Amino acid sequence: MMPAHYALSDAAIVLVTIFAGNALWRGGRHLPAFAMACFGVAAFIGVVRFGAGLQDQLAALHGGASQLLGLAGAVAILSGYLFRPADRHIISIIALILCAATAIFMFAQPLLGPVFLLALVIVFLASIVRPGPSGRTWLVPIGCALMLANTLFIRRAAWLDEAAAWHVYHVLIALALAALAKGLMSTERDAH
């Protein structure tokens, strides 16, 4: 049984995604806002799981939501960075992202990690090659690099004990999402 303190670092993700998602949505950046919601919902399940002492009962839901919604969130960030869809197309694009992520989750699980990482690598490269007009767009590649390094080196780090790996992993996700959101917000604001 994992202790309740495991909920704290998940709560950091929830707080970042609430504030960042709201700011992105208000700024017209609907796909990145949707990405924040994806990461936030998965983390919220973790907060409930550990905060309410439902570790075993919600383990599968938390793990599945983290994988499925993490993939959907990464693809939404990619889609929002590469394309400027008209507002009338946002619901269709979100539905398509969710359908694709669900199909991969249900029928091609080995592709979850590679597609997640590929989406982040493409955003990282695209944000360097085609930076926005803002002086803060360096936050986008930094956020992607942090998320990539975190996924590859911290998530299951043998050199950290389980609790430390859990908290470091989630705090770095929160920081990466905050950097991505701030970089994307400043890009949109300065582009007007």
Side-chain angles (χ1 to χ4, degrees):
M1 184 105 147
M2 297 165 90
H5 70 79
Y6 276 65
L8 295 175
S9 53
D10 267 323
I13 297 171
V14 172
L15 290 174
V16 165
T17 57
I18 287 171
F19 290 109
N22 186 39
L24 286 163
W25 188 268
R26 284 193 333 253
R29 298 303 310 264
H30 299 121
L31 288 173
F34 168 72
M36 294 297 149
C38 288
F39 286 103
V41 167
F44 181 74
I45 294 169
V47 169
V48 172
R49 176 183 175 200
F50 298 109
L54 300 170
Q55 288 86 342
D56 296 335
Q57 298 88 330
L58 295 181
L61 177 63
H62 185 209
S66 296
Q67 291 177 349
L68 173 66
L69 295 173
L71 177 60
V75 172
I77 290 170
L78 173 63
S79 300
Y81 194 84
L82 294 182
F83 311 110
R84 298 281 190 208
D87 285 342
R88 67 181 182 277
H89 299 300
I90 293 298
I91 297 299
S92 299
I93 293 169
I94 289 172
L96 184 61
I97 290 169
L98 285 173
C99 287
T102 301
I104 291 171
F105 180 77
M106 298 291 288
F107 306 112
Q109 282 243 333
L111 294 177
L112 273 169
V115 173
F116 176 82
L117 294 172
L118 182 62
L120 291 174
V121 166
I122 292 170
V123 173
F124 174 80
L125 294 173
S127 66
I128 291 171
V129 171
R130 194 187 76 191
S134 165
R136 291 185 295 250
T137 56
W138 56 272
L139 287 169
V140 175
I142 293 291
C144 287
L146 187 56
M147 188 81 80
L148 284 164
N150 192 31
T151 302
L152 294 172
F153 303 116
I154 302 297
R155 186 165 178 254
R156 303 217 190 272
W159 47 277
L160 291 171
D161 75 355
E162 184 181 14
W166 180 274
H167 291 305
V168 170
Y169 177 68
H170 287 96
V171 168
L172 289 177
I173 288 173
L175 291 173
L177 291 173
L180 282 166
K182 185 65 175 170
L184 292 169
M185 280 186 275
S186 59
T187 297
E188 179 66 19
R189 185 172 51 244
D190 296 335
H192 284 312

